[in-house]
């Protein structure tokens, strides 16, 4: 009668334990990597939404005080967009920000469209004004680029390349000549400054043309200027 032989191989569970450890380690690494990826994705999404939200908030702020003027006359259609109200008083905290000056940019625009069936070119005339309503800065005996309150003006046909005004401008009591850099010293001056008067804009029938205007108000950051106020408005007015 045959005797059953004993199995010479013993079951080694240590090998299975090592395999399990490796598998669990790989699974934990994958889970950690997944969590890191989720975190990075969430962080990127949050940053993107914050940037987009900030962009649209700032963009919408530009149109809060915007004035739109539509004029239709003799087959000409005019749209004036004014967004040039300026109101500021230098604060002590402004002195701690970068730069030596506070620069406030304001934009206006005028667009002329003429009907196709018009028998002649469309033509309009308009003026650009910078009306200083309040000005706490003392007037300089001699105009200077070091004035605490400067302003300059520019126009563009594409809202990209700007040409700065470099001619004398005036109001009822003053005639201002441009300084270096096309700046005008307006410290101590109030009333409307005539940047351009009765400027003619023309366009062929069936076409349109748009002009953009920009003002740059520059206030010097000086401890002596704290709480000094400036109120002004940069705008386009339709003449004829």
């Amino acid at each position: 009668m045959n005797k059953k032989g004993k199995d010479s191989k013993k079951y080694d569970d240590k090998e299975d334990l090592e395999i399990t450890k490796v598998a669990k380690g790989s699974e934990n690494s994958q889970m950690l990597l997944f969590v890191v990826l989720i975190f990075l994705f969430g962080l990127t999404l949050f940053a993107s939404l914050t940037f987009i939200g900030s962009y649209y908030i700032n963009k919408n702020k530009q149109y809060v005080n915007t004035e739109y003027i539509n004029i239709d006359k003799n087959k000409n259609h005019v749209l004036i967009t004014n967004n040039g109200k300026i109101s500021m008083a230098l604060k002590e905290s402004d002195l701690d920000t970068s730069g030596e000056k506070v620069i406030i940019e304001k934009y206006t625009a005028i667009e002329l469209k003429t009907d196709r069936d018009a028998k002649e070119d469309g033509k309009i005339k308009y003026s650009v004004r910078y009306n200083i309503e309040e000005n706490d800065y003392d007037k300089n005996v001699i105009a200077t680029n070091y004035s605490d309150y400067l302003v300059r003006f520019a126009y563009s046909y594409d809202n990209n390349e700007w040409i700065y005004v470099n001619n004398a401008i005036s109001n009822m009591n003053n005639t201002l000549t441009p300084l270096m850099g096309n700046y005008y010293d307006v410290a101590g001056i109030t009333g409307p400054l005539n940047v351009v008067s009765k400027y003619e804009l023309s366009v062929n029938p069936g076409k349109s043309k748009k002009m953009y205007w920009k003002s740059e108000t520059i206030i010097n950051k000086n401890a002596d200027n704290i709480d000094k106020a400036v109120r002004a408005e940069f705008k386009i007015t339709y003449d004829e």
Side-chain angles (χ1 to χ4, degrees):
M1 190 170 183
N2 293 333
K3 295 182 178 180
K4 292 182 179 179
K6 292 184 178 179
D7 190 354
S8 61
K9 290 184 178 180
K10 291 184 177 181
Y11 179 73
D12 188 0
D13 60 347
K14 290 184 179 180
E15 185 176 351
D16 285 348
L17 288 174
E18 291 298 325
I19 293 173
T20 303
K21 286 181 180 179
V22 171
K24 286 186 176 180
S26 177
E27 184 178 328
N28 290 337
S29 297
Q30 291 178 354
M31 181 61 69
L32 179 61
L33 179 60
F34 179 73
V35 171
V36 171
L37 290 175
I38 290 294
F39 173 76
L40 292 176
F41 174 77
L43 186 63
T44 303
L45 180 63
F46 174 77
S48 300
L49 291 176
T50 300
F51 174 79
I52 294 171
S54 176
Y55 169 79
Y56 280 105
I57 288 173
N58 292 330
K59 184 177 181 181
N60 290 333
K61 281 182 179 179
Q62 297 177 2
Y63 300 99
V64 170
N65 297 315
T66 302
E67 174 190 47
Y68 298 97
I69 302 172
N70 287 283
I71 301 166
D72 296 318
K73 187 177 180 181
N74 299 331
K75 298 188 180 296
N76 293 322
H77 310 281
V78 180
L79 173 61
I80 296 173
T81 307
N82 284 323
N83 186 17
K85 288 186 179 294
I86 301 159
S87 180
M88 76 153 293
L90 194 71
K91 300 176 182 177
E92 190 170 353
S93 58
D94 292 325
L95 304 181
D96 298 328
T97 58
S98 61
E100 297 179 353
K101 301 178 184 300
V102 175
I103 302 175
I104 304 170
E105 294 185 350
K106 291 295 179 178
Y107 297 86
T108 63
I110 183 168
E111 184 176 15
L112 169 63
K113 294 181 179 179
T114 301
D115 292 343
R116 287 178 180 238
D117 59 350
K119 295 181 179 179
E120 56 185 17
D121 291 349
K123 293 181 181 180
I124 61 167
K125 290 183 179 180
Y126 69 93
S127 297
V128 180
R129 302 280 185 264
Y130 184 86
N131 185 26
I132 304 175
E133 300 166 5
E134 184 178 1
N135 187 351
D136 289 345
Y137 292 90
D138 295 331
K139 186 175 181 178
N140 296 304
V141 177
I142 300 176
T144 172
N145 274 93
Y146 298 100
S147 174
D148 289 328
Y149 183 6
L150 297 167
V151 66
R152 65 176 179 173
F153 310 99
Y155 63 90
S156 171
Y157 288 98
D158 60 4
N159 202 22
N160 184 31
E161 295 185 8
W162 293 90
I163 301 170
Y164 283 92
V165 173
N166 192 32
N167 53 268
I169 61 177
S170 63
N171 66 3
M172 293 179 63
N173 303 311
N174 302 274
T175 298
L176 307 180
T177 54
L179 302 167
M180 185 180 299
N182 304 312
Y183 293 101
Y184 296 87
D185 182 356
V186 293
I189 295 175
T190 56
L193 297 177
N194 302 314
V195 182
V196 294
S197 296
K198 295 189 180 297
Y199 191 95
E200 185 175 277
L201 185 65
S202 62
V203 66
N204 299 130
K207 301 292 185 180
S208 67
K209 184 179 288 187
K210 190 170 185 178
M211 281 192 73
Y212 303 85
W213 286 85
K214 174 176 69 169
S215 70
E216 297 175 12
T217 299
I218 300 97
I219 303 297
N220 191 29
K221 290 183 183 179
N222 189 317
D224 294 334
N225 294 335
I226 293 175
D227 294 330
K228 289 185 178 180
V230 166
R231 281 193 305 112
E233 184 176 13
F234 180 60
K235 66 184 301 182
I236 291 173
T237 58
Y238 175 82
D239 292 331
E240 59 184 81

